[in-house]
Amino acid sequence: MSTVLLRQVPVDSPVHRMWAGTKMIAAFLISVLLMVLPSWPVIGMTVLFLVVIGLVARLPLGTLPRLPWWFWAMLVVGALVNVPVGGAAVLRYAQVVVFGLVLVTTSFLIAWTTPMGEIAPALATLGAPLRKLRIPVDEWAVVVALTLRGLPLLLDEMRVLRAARRLRPKDSALQRAAVNPLLDILTAAMAVATRRAGELGEAITARGGTGQLTAHPTGPGRRDAIALAVVVVVCAGAVLVDVLT
């Protein structure tokens, strides 16, 4: 898979300059639209809209993850399983697959155009009304932010461990002793993740604790209101197209 996963693509664009909360609200609206009206016209308009957003964000084609062959093989197997049921089942299966890919792409667009340091403050701002219900909004925002920031690091560590294992001599005693190579890599990855978690905790403590992660350095502006208006218009247009078809 591509190494550009859950990381900001370092380019300057109107989408990059938007507030992170605006992108989350837009992704939420698109998700609700697809869950309520998962028809082909709505999905088609959503895909077209996401392509336009990608062009406006100036994202290179290399940003798209290169999915492994077994992923596409599983999709083909799923389609073949639905063939005996009938063409409607295959069409429905394709609709569900495209629906899932659109939702994942929408989430990735946020990661590709947003610094990870802005996620927690945006979540804390959006969840501010929930504080009246004594819901730990800041703690949840910190957990989400640390997860998003730590996942790419963990993936990189697993790639390094996998590459190191491949470089071992085939007659290595350590390699012969490993009963399950996957279990060996996962164990090493857990050890590395534990060490990195400790280092990250010490760094956060040295910088004043988790409260600094949910500080509010930025907020919505005029461009964010315009962007949300565009998203609402697109969603309303998709609903209208679905009704007319």
Side-chain angles (χ1 to χ4, degrees):
M1 294 182 66
S2 173
T3 57
V4 185
L5 183 63
L6 297 179
R7 291 178 176 175
Q8 182 190 19
V9 179
V11 297
D12 184 29
S13 73
V15 181
H16 285 73
R17 293 191 293 268
M18 288 170 51
W19 181 51
T22 302
K23 304 172 192 177
M24 295 180 190
I25 296 174
F28 174 76
L29 293 177
I30 292 174
S31 301
V32 172
L33 173 66
L34 292 177
M35 286 188 291
V36 175
L37 295 173
S39 62
W40 283 115
V42 174
I43 293 177
M45 286 194 63
T46 304
V47 171
L48 179 61
F49 179 66
L50 293 180
V51 171
V52 173
I53 293 299
L55 295 175
V56 174
R58 300 173 57 191
L59 297 174
L61 291 178
T63 304
L64 297 174
R66 295 184 292 274
L67 299 176
W69 65 268
W70 53 262
F71 175 83
W72 302 109
M74 289 178 60
L75 294 183
V76 173
V77 170
L80 294 176
V81 170
N82 287 276
V83 168
V85 182
V90 176
L91 190 63
R92 185 66 175 177
Y93 171 78
Q95 193 176 32
V96 172
V97 170
V98 176
F99 170 79
L101 292 177
V102 169
L103 291 183
V104 173
T105 303
T106 304
S107 302
F108 279 178
L109 281 174
I110 298 177
W112 292 333
T113 60
T114 309
M116 290 295 101
E118 296 182 4
I119 297 296
L123 288 175
T125 300
L126 294 175
L130 298 178
R131 292 193 181 95
K132 296 181 180 179
L133 302 177
R134 296 186 178 181
I135 296 178
V137 175
D138 292 335
E139 288 76 4
W140 289 358
V142 169
V143 170
V144 172
L146 292 180
T147 302
L148 293 176
R149 182 171 295 183
L151 184 58
L153 298 176
L154 181 60
L155 292 176
D156 287 342
E157 291 290 352
M158 293 190 68
R159 292 191 187 98
V160 172
L161 293 172
R162 186 180 178 185
R165 183 177 180 81
R166 288 180 175 178
L167 291 176
R168 288 180 181 177
K170 293 185 181 299
D171 59 347
S172 172
L174 292 175
Q175 191 168 9
R176 292 197 304 269
V179 178
N180 191 333
L182 180 60
L183 182 61
D184 187 23
I185 293 177
L186 290 178
T187 303
M190 290 177 61
V192 172
T194 302
R195 175 177 57 82
R196 282 190 173 273
E199 295 174 351
L200 182 59
E202 294 176 358
I204 293 175
T205 302
R207 288 169 172 79
T210 56
Q212 298 296 324
L213 297 177
T214 55
H216 302 245
T218 60
R222 184 176 180 181
R223 66 165 63 94
D224 298 288
I226 296 174
L228 286 179
V230 172
V231 174
V232 171
V233 170
V234 171
C235 292
V239 173
L240 181 61
V241 170
D242 182 76
V243 172
L244 295 178
T245 56

